[in-house]
Amino acid sequence: SERDALWINGHSVTYAALLEKCRRIAGAIDASAAPGSPLAAVFALRSETAYAGVLGILASGRGYVPLNPKFPVARTRRMLLNSECDVVVAGEESLAALEAVVSNLGRRITVLLPDVARDSCTFTPSDEHTWLFAEELQVHPLMTDVPPLPADGTAYLLFTSGSTGEPKGVPVTHVNVTAYVGTMSRRYRVAPTDRFSQTFDLTFDLSVHDMFLAWEAGA
């Protein structure tokens, strides 16, 4: 569809363009992640890569773990380690923190940077991890078929604020999300001409309300 799926900083992204990008990310994740790994992380904020990353991870048959470029590095590293993700989809807006987050992680991961060219990266990628930049991803095969998603599988994993101790990961299942989106869509009669905000960071679950109510209705 040529309808707008996103409007970011004065730039529109159609549903067709978003679908192609999410299928390319999904194909790269499927080729890079360990077989059967249930989760992948998205380290981005209100960008095309943030939203395509969420959809690409889901299209690969995995749940997404949102990481916030505004959070302290130590907290983000702990979330990445505790979630045991072996793939991170990172936006250009995460570059300032990305090197520190993944340095000396203790295990090898794959970092996908769909909107960052290799020669424009602000640091030298270490051999500790596998790095796929925009030019490599642009020629990567697209995922054609979304694997079946179990209703009780994890759609996303959110970490608590940690105000009462260490942040804890809370899994939310596909059946949880679809029940919520179905109920809210009927209650508010969301139409393709509606628009939703990007007020909430991906690490706050009201972002799910805005993303999936909009996309469910073609809004």
Side-chain angles (χ1 to χ4, degrees), residues 9 30 42 54 95 98 100 111 124 131 136 138-139 180 186 192-193 199 202 210:
N9 295 328
D30 201 52
V42 56
V54 165
L95 286 181
L98 181 61
V111 183
T124 302
W131 302 79
E136 288 106 2
Q138 192 56 42
V139 296
Y180 176 83
R186 290 188 297 272
T193 51
T199 303
L202 295 180
D210 281 353

Side-chain angles (χ1 to χ4, degrees), residues 26 29 52-64 143 146-147 149 154-156 174 212 215:
I29 292 171
V54 165
L55 291 171
I57 290 168
L58 291 170
S60 77
R62 294 165 176 82
Y64 70 93
M143 175 168 276
V146 176
L149 302 173
T154 299
Y156 59 93
H174 291 289
F212 292 102
W215 295 332

Side-chain angles (χ1 to χ4, degrees), residues 16-32 52-53 55-57 59-60 89 112 114 132-144:
L18 184 61
L19 175 62
E20 180 178 346
K21 191 164 187 175
C22 101
R23 289 174 62 198
R24 201 173 296 283
I25 290 170
I29 292 171
D30 201 52
S32 304
L55 291 171
I57 290 168
S60 77
V89 182
L112 312 182
L132 294 178
F133 287 87
E135 52 266 48
E136 288 106 2
L137 286 168
Q138 192 56 42
V139 296
H140 205 285
L142 278 66
M143 175 168 276
T144 54

Side-chain angles (χ1 to χ4, degrees), residues 43 67-68 71-82 97 100-102 105 166-167:
F43 191 29
L67 304 176
N68 196 324
F71 283 2
V73 165
R75 179 176 177 182
T76 301
R77 281 175 62 88
R78 186 162 57 244
M79 292 163 67
L80 180 56
L81 286 166
N82 288 349
V101 166
V102 302
L105 205 56
E166 292 288 322

